[in-house]
């Protein structure tokens, strides 16, 4: 390798500083030649026993290290904040940006030449890529992989998706409590993240579509031997990427983001991909907007028959050919010359992909939704935009006008929703406020509000719901999300009152509150912002500096690529 590697600014030379850096590293048994100029590869590990999706990373990291060693590199593992979706309160999204700060500063401040990003659970993928993008070293992602299919009484069940269904059935009185409790152990049968097309599976697909992971990364189950092989191959490849100086900025182009948006439509991916890709683009310096999600994804057919939009699960997707097979099916919609971590183009990566099950990966003529993707809505209720996932919604509700039933906070919703005297029917529109980036804080996954018990008992299973919140990628329904500006900053959503009429028109991308501008002005004059949920600490910093959903909900001072320049010496 002709150029001097970054790590040699620490380990090269015969002076006092190099002595200090090498000497301390040798206390783990490293020999002299470990510092001879070979690439030092940082392995960014989001292992945590509080993050069940990533709890198997202790084993996976050993395969990555082996691959790095085989290729002539020195692997050094480091931990970062692990955003576990299932346990972290008030919401993992509150800490995505904090984790990205951890990643960025760990990469920049330590003697590494390239980075392997070990991601799995929902927010671990964007937080790692965001942090790495702000440094722009050669970087590659490996996901932890999905769990095996859930099984209950001879039928397949999916994480998240069936939780929402079963919970509604119990509340409606059509599912015994004992069956609900039996599903608890039957749903999560192995290591790995959600095996539906939730946010974890979606973001694993997004990094593969962006070109940041090896082909086949997204769908391979966590416990399959191929996942270990992918780890080893990933370790080998990052050493080669350092030699090629193949940095993130060479891969994360506008064309790569267009590919990812179109792939998201083809797989029926999570609405959460919107806010994450916008944030990643902001870090690497690519011009990407909320409207690009509609522009690039509007005419993409959803061809992956996977929960929550369809019926199968990630294990079935893997056997059918995984993401390369989907991408080949929609290849005419993609920028096939986009560069990837393999050193080759997306087109070359998917050239030999095959579809082994056309019930799972459907022919385009049999698409679940002809125009899938994410629909971006605008109107006086969402002047900066809101989103909805058509493939997971009820077609009959895509054009709907209804009377608003308003919940000022999530606590107000929980207190009222099962009140038998609540004036609500299936034509009503449920409106939830103060659950956005600042309002919750963190924009929690509460937008797919459970329906009132009295309507569930009548057989109602979907209604129009509108909020400034997010929802789990495993969820479904006619749910309008991420309304911007949010209620907590004085968006029009804050001014909706019980009984107002609202029009939803997804085909025409319209979300309109049928209240005059004059009345809105009167209400705004009377509105007062809610008090923060917590003062001091990270939450205060977050609430002060977080941006709105339509720009990625990053902290304003984190946007941009700050590079990986070697800092001043520490001694």
């Amino acid at each position: 390798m002709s150029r001097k590697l970054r790590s040699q600014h620490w380990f090269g030379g015969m002076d006092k500083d190099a002595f200090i850096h090498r000497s301390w590293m040798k206390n783990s048994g490293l020999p002299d030649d470990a510092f001879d100029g070979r690439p030092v590869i940082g392995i960014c590990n989001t292992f945590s026993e509080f993050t069940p999706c990533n709890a198997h990373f202790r084993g996976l990291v050993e395969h990555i290290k082996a691959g790095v060693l085989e290729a002539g590199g020195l692997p050094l593992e480091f931990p970062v904040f692990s955003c576990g979706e299932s346990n972290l309160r008030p919401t993992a999204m509150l800490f995505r940006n904090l984790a990205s700060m951890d990643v960025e500063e760990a990469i920049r401040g330590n003697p590494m030449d390239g980075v392997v990003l070990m991601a799995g659970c929902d927010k671990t993928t964007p937080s790692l890529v965001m942090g790495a993008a702000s440094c722009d070293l050669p970087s590659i992602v490996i996901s932890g992989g999905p769990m095996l299919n859930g099984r209950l009484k001879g039928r397949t069940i999916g994480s998240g998706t069936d939780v929402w269904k079963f919970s509604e059935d119990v509340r409606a009185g059509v599912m015994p409590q004992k069956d609900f409790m039996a599903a608890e152990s039957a749903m999560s049968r192995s290591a790995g993240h959600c095996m539906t097309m939730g946010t974890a599976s979606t973001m694993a697909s997004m990094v593969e579509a962006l070109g940041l992971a090896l082909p086949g990364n997204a769908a391979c189950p966590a416990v399959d031997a191929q996942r270990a092989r992918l780890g080893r191959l990933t370790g080998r490849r990052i050493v080669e990427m350092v030699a090629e100086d193949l940095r993130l900025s060479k891969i994360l182009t506008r064309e790569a983001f267009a590919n990812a948006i179109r792939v998201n439509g083809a797989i029926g991916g999570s609405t959460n991909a919107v806010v994450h890709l916008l944030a990643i683009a902001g870090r690497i310096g690519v011009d990407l907007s909320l409207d690009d999600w509609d522009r690039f994804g509007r005419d993409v057919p959803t061809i992956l028959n996977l929960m929550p939009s369809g019926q199968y699960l990630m294990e079935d997707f893997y056997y059918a050919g995984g993401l390369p097979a989907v991408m080949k099916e929609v290849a005419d919609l993609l920028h096939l010359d986009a560069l990837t971590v393999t050193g080759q183009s997306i087109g070359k990566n998917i050239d030999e992909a095959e579809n082994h099950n056309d019930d799972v990966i459907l022919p385009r003529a049999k698409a679940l939704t002809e125009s899938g993707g994410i629909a971006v809505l605008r109107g006086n209720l969402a002047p900066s935009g809101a989103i909805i996932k058509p493939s997971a919604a009820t077609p009959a509700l895509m054009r709907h006008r209804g009377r608003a039933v308003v919940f000022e906070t999530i606590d107000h919703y929980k207190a009222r929703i099962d009140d038998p005297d609540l004036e609500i029917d299936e034509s009503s529109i449920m409106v939830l406020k103060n659950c956005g980036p600042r309002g919750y804080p963190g924009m929690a996954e509460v937008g797919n509000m459970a329906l009132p018990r009295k309507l569930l008992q009548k057989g109602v299973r979907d209604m129009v719901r509108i909020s400034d919140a997010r929802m789990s990628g495993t969820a479904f329904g006619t749910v309008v999300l991420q309304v911007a500006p949010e209620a907590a900053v004085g968006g029009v959503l804050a001014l909706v009152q019980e009984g107002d009429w609202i029009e939803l028109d997804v085909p025409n991308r319209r979300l309109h509150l049928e209240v005059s501008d004059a009345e809105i002005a009167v209400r705004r004059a009377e509105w007062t912002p809610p008090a923060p949920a917590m003062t001091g600490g990270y939450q205060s910093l977050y609430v002060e500096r977080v941006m709105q959903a339509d720009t990625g909900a990053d902290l304003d001072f984190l946007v941009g690529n700050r590079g990986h320049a070697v800092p001043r010496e520490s001694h």
Side-chain angles (χ1 to χ4, degrees):
M1 189 178 299
S2 58
R3 73 182 193 283
K4 181 179 180 180
L5 291 179
R6 182 174 181 269
S7 59
Q8 285 298 294
H9 291 280
W10 279 263
F11 298 136
M14 305 297 289
D15 60 3
K16 167 181 67 70
D17 293 323
F19 175 104
I20 291 171
H21 295 309
R22 290 191 300 261
S23 178
W24 280 111
M25 294 297 290
K26 286 182 176 181
N27 77 356
S28 63
L30 289 173
D32 290 344
D33 62 4
F35 309 102
D36 60 5
R38 69 189 64 194
V40 175
I41 304 301
I43 303 177
C44 182
N45 195 340
T46 50
F47 162 81
S48 169
E49 290 182 337
F50 284 111
T51 306
C53 305
N54 299 17
H56 61 297
F57 281 13
R58 279 177 170 165
L60 182 59
V61 73
E62 296 306 319
H63 296 284
I64 298 169
K65 289 179 178 178
V68 171
L69 289 167
E70 289 166 356
L74 173 62
L76 296 174
E77 179 185 354
F78 64 100
V80 292
F81 190 98
S82 186
C83 290
E85 188 65 42
S86 58
N87 285 323
L88 198 55
R89 293 182 177 180
T91 171
M93 182 63 178
L94 176 65
F95 303 104
R96 182 200 67 176
N97 299 339
L98 178 65
S100 77
M101 294 168 69
D102 188 0
V103 173
E104 176 183 350
E105 301 305 334
I107 291 173
R108 185 179 296 111
N110 282 295
M112 63 187 81
D113 304 302
V115 193
V116 176
L117 305 172
M118 294 184 68
C121 195
D122 299 20
K123 309 305 175 294
T124 60
T125 303
S127 66
L128 266 57
V129 177
M130 289 163 65
S134 287
C135 293
D136 198 25
L137 282 177
S139 304
I140 189 170
V141 179
I142 181 166
S143 303
M147 294 184 285
L148 298 177
N149 291 355
R151 298 290 294 175
L152 177 67
K153 294 188 172 182
R155 59 163 288 199
T156 299
I157 60 173
S159 49
T161 300
D162 278 311
V163 172
W164 317 125
K165 290 179 180 177
F166 294 164
S167 178
E168 300 283 64
D169 286 347
V170 170
R171 294 175 65 237
V174 298
M175 182 179 193
Q177 187 73 39
K178 64 180 180 64
D179 288 353
F180 182 67
M181 299 314 296
E184 181 180 306
S185 299
M187 188 167 285
S188 303
R189 296 177 46 237
S190 76
H193 59 66
C194 289
M195 81 298 274
T196 52
M197 188 49 72
T199 304
S201 295
T202 297
M203 292 310 297
S205 299
M206 291 297 92
V207 292
E208 187 173 336
L210 285 166
L212 298 182
L214 296 180
N217 169 76
C220 179
V223 294
D224 195 292
Q226 179 61 16
R227 179 59 61 184
R229 283 190 284 272
L230 276 170
R232 190 171 292 245
L233 294 172
T234 296
R236 293 179 184 176
R237 180 58 195 152
I238 188 60
V239 176
E240 296 169 348
M241 288 175 65
V242 170
E244 297 163 9
D245 194 27
L246 183 50
R247 291 173 283 113
L248 282 175
S249 58
K250 298 179 181 180
I251 297 170
L252 287 176
T253 62
R254 183 168 167 81
E255 290 73 23
F257 283 100
N259 283 345
I261 290 170
R262 288 172 175 141
V263 169
N264 189 74
I267 63 175
S270 169
T271 52
N272 291 308
V274 177
V275 74
H276 297 324
L277 261 63
L278 289 172
I280 293 168
R283 293 296 187 94
I284 202 67
V286 169
D287 181 17
L288 190 74
S289 70
L290 186 61
D291 287 333
D292 285 327
W293 274 88
D294 214 317
R295 183 178 299 114
F296 295 141
R298 184 164 190 160
D299 297 321
V300 177
T302 300
I303 60 171
L304 183 58
N305 187 11
L306 203 74
M307 295 183 193
S309 299
Q311 68 184 89
Y312 290 99
L313 295 169
M314 290 296 287
E315 187 181 346
D316 309 302
F317 183 27
Y318 174 59
Y319 302 145
L323 196 71
V326 168
M327 294 178 71
K328 188 169 185 179
E329 185 66 27
V330 296
D332 59 301
L333 303 177
L334 304 178
H335 295 280
L336 297 178
D337 58 348
L339 183 63
T340 75
V341 292
T342 66
Q344 298 179 320
S345 67
I346 280 284
K348 183 68 173 178
N349 287 354
I350 67 173
D351 185 52
E352 297 182 4
E354 296 181 44
N355 180 2
H356 304 297
N357 188 335
D358 59 10
D359 285 332
V360 177
I361 303 172
L362 302 168
R364 285 165 71 164
K366 296 182 179 179
L368 290 177
T369 306
E370 288 186 12
S371 182
I374 303 296
V376 177
L377 310 172
R378 293 189 187 272
N380 67 346
L381 190 50
S384 297
I387 61 174
I388 189 171
K389 180 177 173 180
S391 65
T394 300
L397 292 174
M398 300 291 271
R399 276 197 175 101
H400 185 75
R401 179 176 178 270
R403 186 183 67 85
V405 178
V406 178
F407 307 100
E408 295 295 331
T409 64
I410 190 63
D411 306 296
H412 186 219
Y413 158 78
K414 291 179 178 179
R416 292 185 72 204
I417 191 61
D418 285 332
D419 183 346
D421 295 326
L422 180 65
E423 292 186 16
I424 190 169
D425 61 31
E426 55 267 41
S427 69
S428 301
I429 293 180
M430 298 167 62
V431 177
L432 176 62
K433 305 178 184 180
N434 295 304
C435 292
R438 293 191 185 183
Y440 200 80
M443 196 165 50
E445 294 182 342
V446 295
N448 56 317
M449 294 168 272
L451 306 188
R453 188 188 306 272
K454 65 182 181 181
L455 296 185
L456 291 170
Q457 291 171 343
K458 289 174 56 179
V460 178
R461 287 296 183 271
D462 195 12
M463 294 172 61
V464 175
R465 286 157 278 179
I466 299 172
S467 74
D468 47 12
R470 298 177 301 115
M471 75 175 181
S472 169
T474 67
F476 51 90
T478 311
V479 185
V480 177
L481 301 158
Q482 302 180 26
V483 170
E486 64 175 302
V489 300
V492 175
L493 183 68
L495 311 178
V496 179
Q497 295 182 0
E498 194 95 358
D500 287 345
W501 287 85
I502 296 174
E503 178 194 10
L504 170 67
D505 185 349
V506 176
N508 290 304
R509 303 304 198 252
R510 176 177 166 84
L511 184 63
H512 182 69
L513 175 66
E514 295 181 2
V515 172
S516 69
D517 291 346
E519 174 61 20
I520 289 175
V522 170
R523 294 182 187 182
R524 184 176 300 284
E526 297 172 349
W527 176 80
T528 55
M534 181 181 290
T535 57
Y538 170 71
Q539 286 199 25
S540 283
L541 174 66
Y542 179 92
V543 169
E544 287 174 10
R545 307 302 291 269
V546 71
M547 304 190 302
Q548 289 296 287
D550 63 299
T551 56
D554 203 354
L555 302 185
D556 55 10
F557 62 87
L558 293 177
V559 176
N561 178 349
R562 285 165 285 283
H564 54 264
V566 177
R568 292 169 172 164
E569 260 298 348
S570 55
H571 296 86

